[in-house]
Amino acid sequence: MRSLAFDVLNHVRIADLIDIGIVSVLLYLTFVWLRDRASRSLGIVAVAMGVIFLLARWLDLYLTTMAFQYGSIGILIAMVVVFQNDIRHGFERLATSRWFRHSSAGQPGNRIVDTITFAVAEMSEQRIGALFVFPGREPLDRHLRGGVEVDGRISEQLILSIFHPKSPGHDGAVLIHHDRIVQLGLHLPLTTQVSKVHDGGTRHAAALGLAECCDAMALVVSEERGTITLARDGNLTEIEPTEVAEELRRYFADQTSTGQRKLKSRWIGWTTKVAAVAAAVTLWFLFAYNTDTIQRTFVVPIEYRNLPSHLEIEDPKPTYAEVTLSGTSPTFALLKPAELAVSLNVKDVGGRRVLSWKTEPNIANVPKDLRVQKTVPDTVFVTLRENANQ
């Protein structure tokens, strides 16, 4: 075991550590994204495809491996088309994560919370239907339709007048941001999971639909039963009127907390980071770590640069060279054989008519971790003569 560890350390380069670090960050961002409930189906499909590909490589399943190699672009396009909403949602969550937030805007104070709580309790008692939307960190614009700009100061009387059954905008949702009623009469996306709505109506379906699309919270007062329901994180939860203030304060605190994270959140964060690093190291061992040295021979074109216009190279002139390179298999993966060339500069000829160059120093575009073992010919000779067309 110790010898294996020393062997690994001897073959790990700084470039490999940077490689693992970059992949770890990308995997961490991917895991955070896939951890979101709305992208869970995409995560399951992505993991299943990865497992199938690794099994195909391990068991030498030729047809399956070929299908992945030649169909990877098609598979990627299909996943983007099928899961486009999940992908967009994931990028929105990433863009609004704490890494990209510079400051936390002020949230409603106790007076605003108490005002909303009293209004909700009053409407619950009188069975007046209502739907409130409290934005989270993700943008809401693409989920909202219609609506009337209000930008009014929150008051119990204003809320009750908006949701009065004879008010023109009572059927829509009200958007509350900070201490202002921003819009009223908004239409929200309806959920497709009707079973979760149970005895609720259109307001509950709209609240759940919004909670499935983003991190906003919706508060619903049922017109038929007078019940109060919270929609958050893709779930509906019925609460008592006495719990409204507590739920609002908890939600607003979650939006403003940047440095105070709960132990559970810290544990999940560190677990995700460790998993990302472990996955990156595993992938490096599977696909990059290889101590076996292999040799490959390539037929490389010889090019002559900066030949004076009054001179030409006599035929026959060497046009190709055989170059044998050695290195590990991952290093050869960085090589582009089509870009290999023996590049000879014929600019400074003086009065000479016979020129020679060592082949190895003039080979271009060889990755630094590959070594030139042999070249045929070892030296290139050419004879120059006056250009008859000049």
Side-chain angles (χ1 to χ4, degrees):
M1 181 64 70
R2 181 176 298 179
S3 61
L4 176 61
F6 279 116
D7 186 56
V8 172
L9 291 176
N10 288 334
H11 288 86
V12 173
R13 307 165 301 160
I14 298 297
D16 293 325
L17 297 178
I18 297 174
D19 195 16
I20 292 174
I22 293 174
V23 174
S24 297
V25 172
L26 294 177
L27 288 174
Y28 173 73
L29 296 177
T30 303
F31 290 163
V32 171
W33 170 15
L34 296 179
R35 194 175 61 198
D36 174 38
R37 178 177 288 101
S39 297
R40 191 166 293 173
S41 56
L42 176 59
I44 293 173
V45 172
V47 170
M49 298 289 284
V51 170
I52 293 173
F53 176 72
L54 291 176
L55 285 175
R57 290 286 299 269
W58 183 43
L59 299 175
D60 292 331
L61 303 180
Y62 177 77
L63 188 60
T64 305
T65 304
M66 292 292 290
F68 271 97
Q69 290 177 347
Y70 293 101
S72 56
I73 296 179
I75 293 172
L76 180 61
I77 293 174
M79 291 183 68
V80 169
V81 171
V82 174
F83 297 104
Q84 55 182 315
N85 291 330
D86 291 338
I87 293 172
R88 181 164 52 185
H89 186 202
F91 276 112
E92 287 179 352
R93 288 189 66 87
L94 176 61
T96 55
S97 67
R98 64 188 184 92
W99 287 7
F100 299 96
R101 293 198 312 274
H102 302 290
S103 63
S104 298
Q107 292 292 343
N110 289 332
R111 186 192 68 80
I112 302 302
V113 171
D114 292 340
T115 299
I116 297 173
T117 301
F118 293 147
V120 168
E122 178 72 17
M123 290 185 290
S124 174
E125 184 178 348
Q126 298 184 19
R127 297 198 175 183
I128 297 175
L131 176 55
F132 299 87
V133 173
F134 303 94
R137 299 180 182 122
E138 299 175 18
L140 282 179
D141 293 346
R142 72 182 184 89
H143 304 299
L144 306 179
R145 297 290 183 272
V148 178
E149 297 286 341
V150 178
D151 193 25
R153 187 169 179 269
I154 293 176
S155 67
E156 186 176 351
Q157 293 76 15
L158 178 57
I159 293 175
L160 292 175
S161 65
I162 290 175
F163 290 109
H164 190 278
K166 292 186 179 180
S167 172
H170 77 282
D171 281 332
V174 161
L175 176 63
I176 294 179
H177 188 52
H178 302 328
D179 60 347
R180 314 288 290 182
I181 295 179
V182 181
Q183 289 178 286
L184 61 84
L186 290 167
H187 298 285
L188 311 181
L190 299 180
T191 181
T192 56
Q193 303 185 56
V194 183
S195 58
K196 286 188 176 182
V197 179
H198 299 301
D199 298 329
T202 305
R203 287 190 178 91
H204 294 78
L208 180 58
L210 182 66
E212 291 171 343
C213 295
C214 60
D215 64 345
M217 183 179 75
L219 181 64
V220 186
V221 179
S222 172
E223 187 175 353
E224 291 77 14
R225 297 175 293 140
T227 56
I228 302 171
T229 305
L230 276 180
R232 187 179 181 185
D233 296 330
N235 291 303
L236 288 175
T237 305
E238 193 170 305
I239 61 175
E240 296 296 326
T242 55
E243 299 176 306
V244 173
E246 180 183 354
E247 292 293 339
L248 289 175
R249 289 191 179 95
R250 181 184 297 121
Y251 180 73
F252 296 145
D254 289 345
Q255 304 308 307
T256 56
S257 61
T258 56
Q260 301 176 352
R261 300 178 65 193
K262 296 181 180 179
L263 182 60
K264 181 179 178 181
S265 298
R266 290 179 179 176
W267 172 252
I268 292 176
W270 277 108
T271 303
T272 306
K273 292 173 184 176
V274 171
V277 174
V281 172
T282 302
L283 290 173
W284 183 79
F285 269 104
L286 289 175
F287 298 104
Y289 177 68
N290 192 332
T291 59
D292 295 335
T293 301
I294 59 177
Q295 290 188 356
R296 294 179 184 174
T297 300
F298 300 89
V299 177
V300 177
I302 299 176
E303 63 180 18
Y304 301 91
R305 296 180 292 109
N306 301 319
L307 178 66
S309 58
H310 67 281
L311 297 176
E312 64 179 5
I313 300 174
E314 286 187 355
D315 293 326
K317 63 183 178 182
T319 55
Y320 292 96
E322 290 186 359
V323 178
T324 301
L325 304 176
S326 66
T328 61
S329 181
T331 308
F332 273 103
L334 303 175
L335 175 67
K336 297 180 179 179
E339 296 181 0
L340 287 177
V342 177
S343 185
L344 305 178
N345 192 345
V346 201
K347 182 177 181 181
D348 299 322
V349 298
R352 294 175 295 167
R353 287 296 180 262
V354 178
L355 304 178
S356 65
W357 299 266
K358 283 292 185 180
T359 307
E360 180 178 341
N362 292 288
I363 302 175
N365 302 320
V366 177
K368 63 178 182 179
D369 292 321
L370 287 178
R371 296 182 301 277
V372 179
Q373 293 294 115
K374 182 181 178 182
T375 59
V376 179
D378 177 69
T379 304
V380 176
F381 294 93
V382 296
T383 301
L384 301 180
R385 66 183 180 189
E386 291 296 327
N387 192 337
N389 296 323
Q390 291 294 321

